[in-house]
């Protein structure tokens, strides 16, 4: 192995990540994707509201997705979530109240790493 071979990026930055780093990377990617979807839905709803006097909400959502060139897997998620939000605004669920909604459990993402550090 020559000295120059140590300077290539493959040797400086190994391609295989540790299990902890890969898990953190996946969690960060999921959070980023969810934030992107949430931003698109909020903007699509604003777009629908802005164009409400000119076009129907279905047409406004189609225009939003087309003009912003939202790729297809993401576009269907954005449209579905926007339709759900519009549906909840138009027809609120009379059977469900805030007291009946099940609370979400707290996320314990670092629990396994903390256990390993204690051991």
């Amino acid at each position: 192995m020559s000295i120059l071979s140590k300077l290539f990026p493959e040797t400086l930055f190994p391609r295989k990540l540790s299990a902890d780093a890969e898990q953190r990377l996946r969690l960060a990617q999921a959070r980023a994707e969810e934030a992107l979807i949430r931003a698109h839905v909020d903007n699509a709803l604003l777009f629908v509201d802005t164009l409400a006097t000119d076009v129907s909400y279905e047409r406004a959502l189609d225009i939003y997705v087309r003009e912003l060139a939202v790729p297809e897997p993401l576009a269907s998620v954005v449209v579905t979530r926007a339709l759900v939000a519009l549906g909840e605004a138009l027809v609120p669920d009379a059977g469900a109240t805030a007291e009946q909604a099940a609370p979400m459990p707290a996320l314990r993402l670092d629990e396994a790493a903390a256990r390993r550090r204690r051991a």
Side-chain angles (χ1 to χ4, degrees):
M1 178 185 262
S2 70
I3 290 180
L4 292 177
S5 67
K6 293 181 182 179
L7 298 177
F8 292 124
E10 291 83 21
T11 57
L12 294 175
F13 304 107
R15 292 177 190 252
K16 182 70 177 153
L17 295 174
S18 69
D20 286 342
E22 193 169 324
Q23 183 181 29
R24 287 193 310 270
L25 182 66
R26 284 189 187 140
L27 292 173
Q29 180 183 4
R31 288 182 63 175
E33 288 175 1
E34 189 62 31
L36 179 64
I37 291 169
R38 200 173 317 118
H40 269 301
V41 170
D42 291 344
N43 289 328
L45 291 172
L46 180 63
F47 196 79
V48 167
D49 190 40
T50 302
L51 296 179
T53 58
D54 299 324
V55 296
S56 68
Y57 63 88
E58 295 103 343
R59 180 82 174 119
L61 288 172
D62 288 340
I63 293 169
Y64 178 84
V65 168
R66 187 183 67 241
E67 290 300 318
L68 269 71
V70 180
E72 180 41 45
L74 179 60
S76 63
V77 172
V78 169
V79 169
T80 301
R81 289 193 186 182
L83 290 173
V84 167
L86 289 169
E88 287 174 352
L90 294 174
V91 184
D93 188 8
T97 62
E99 298 84 40
Q100 293 173 339
M104 294 295 291
L107 292 177
R108 296 175 288 176
L109 300 176
D110 294 332
E111 189 175 81
R115 243 187 277 137
R116 271 186 258 129
R117 277 181 253 153
R118 281 185 259 144

